Amino acid sequence: MIKISPSILSADILKLEEEVRSLDINGADYIHIDIMDGHYVPNITFGPNIVKSIRKVTSKILDVHLMIKPVKQYIEEFIDAGSDIITFHPEADDNAEEIIKIINNAKVKAGIAIHPKVNISDIDHLFNLVQQIIVMTVTPGFGGQKFMHDQVRKIKDLDDIRKNNNYNYEIAVDGGVNNENAKICKENGANVLAVGSYLLSQNQDNYSEIINSLR
Ligand code: DX5
Ligand code: ZN
């Protein structure tokens, strides 16, 4: 079954604990935490301290999405903070293979994210090394943007590459996911959906129903 990874990017930071607990009891599989540095992307969000705090209130998988440049020097802190999966954008550092090794040596899952402007063929040498690949269906930086249908082809290509080579990464989709395009993502081979504004703009009483309908 497809896993739902709610993104806390659009949460009210002052109510973050309540929000995370609510997502937890209403069936979220992962908690997606967007780390932005104002450099790789034009927006600034959180650092490792938020991961550490969220770790204390949930045992769900913490799916940390780094939109930072460079990457390597910050990895250790995100490992120590309690991340379960650390995904980064390989073009944001010169040391992608080494970063994946550092993450995996700490028994944390490693992922790479594909910016809409990056082609699969630019980074396919990393596919046999990672446990998650995020297909970005918006330009990274902000929640609430429109799903880019022209990126769906990458989901399908990643699924084919996985089958043909016996790779075992999970394919995640991140950006503008809603009830309608979730179906398309699933049909094309996605295993994980990161969902921000579509879910968090709703009343918490409806979380369980929305999460189930996205599945
Ligand atoms: C975008 C982030 C996404 C974002 C998803 O840069 O990586 O995770 O929070 O939010 P929505 O679902 O609103 O696009
Ligand atoms: Zn994200």
Side-chain angles (χ1 to χ4, degrees):
M1 197 159 49
I2 197 139
K3 291 167 202 151
I4 305 299
S5 185
S7 161
I8 54 146
L9 180 61
S10 41
D12 180 347
I13 289 300
L14 292 183
K15 296 184 184 142
L16 195 54
E17 177 174 358
E18 183 202 328
E19 190 71 79
V20 170
R21 288 189 193 279
S22 172
L23 293 165
D24 181 322
I25 59 171
N26 284 296
D29 299 287
Y30 298 176
I31 303 293
H32 185 94
I33 307 172
D34 287 309
I35 309 293
M36 303 187 187
D37 66 348
H39 175 62
Y40 177 72
V41 288
N43 192 8
I44 301 175
T45 56
F46 333 107
N49 52 336
I50 286 280
V51 179
K52 203 171 174 182
S53 298
I54 294 176
R55 181 74 293 163
K56 291 181 190 147
V57 298
T58 183
S59 54
K60 299 279 171 158
I61 306 267
L62 300 188
D63 178 23
V64 175
H65 178 191
L66 300 180
M67 284 159 276
I68 64 174
K69 180 185 172 140
V71 181
K72 192 182 146 190
Q73 67 202 76
Y74 300 102
I75 289 296
E76 212 64 57
E77 275 188 86
F78 283 100
I79 291 169
D80 293 344
S83 310
D84 295 296
I85 310 174
I86 299 177
T87 298
F88 65 99
H89 288 259
E91 76 277 17
D93 206 292
D94 301 325
N95 302 293
E97 277 103 336
E98 196 188 337
I99 291 167
I100 293 167
K101 253 187 223 139
I102 295 170
I103 298 171
N104 281 163
N105 283 343
K107 307 252 178 303
V108 173
K109 289 186 175 168
I112 46 174
I114 311 182
H115 188 289
K117 284 195 182 140
V118 171
N119 297 316
I120 281 194
S121 56
D122 299 335
I123 51 169
D124 57 3
H125 58 286
L126 301 172
F127 290 175
N128 65 332
L129 305 175
V130 293
Q131 293 78 51
Q132 170 165 276
I133 301 179
I134 297 183
V135 175
M136 294 300 303
T137 42
V138 296
T139 299
F142 299 92
Q145 303 180 76
K146 212 169 161 288
F147 183 89
M148 296 164 75
H149 280 273
D150 62 353
Q151 299 300 307
V152 170
R153 183 61 212 252
K154 288 181 184 167
I155 307 172
K156 171 92 180 72
D157 288 349
L158 286 171
D159 192 33
D160 289 343
I161 292 169
R162 176 169 61 178
K163 281 178 192 145
N164 295 337
N165 296 279
N166 267 325
Y167 293 158
N168 45 33
Y169 51 76
E170 295 209 298
I171 303 169
V173 181
D174 185 17
V177 172
N178 62 29
N179 216 6
E180 278 159 37
N181 56 44
K183 271 194 208 96
I184 301 168
C185 297
K186 281 183 273 181
E187 283 162 12
N188 281 278
N191 310 103
V192 180
L193 299 177
V195 189
S197 51
Y198 177 71
L199 179 64
L200 275 87
S201 62
Q202 303 295 318
N203 192 302
Q204 290 183 356
D205 295 343
N206 302 327
Y207 279 2
S208 165
E209 196 186 322
I210 300 168
I211 289 172
N212 284 330
S213 74
L214 285 164
R215 283 207 181 92

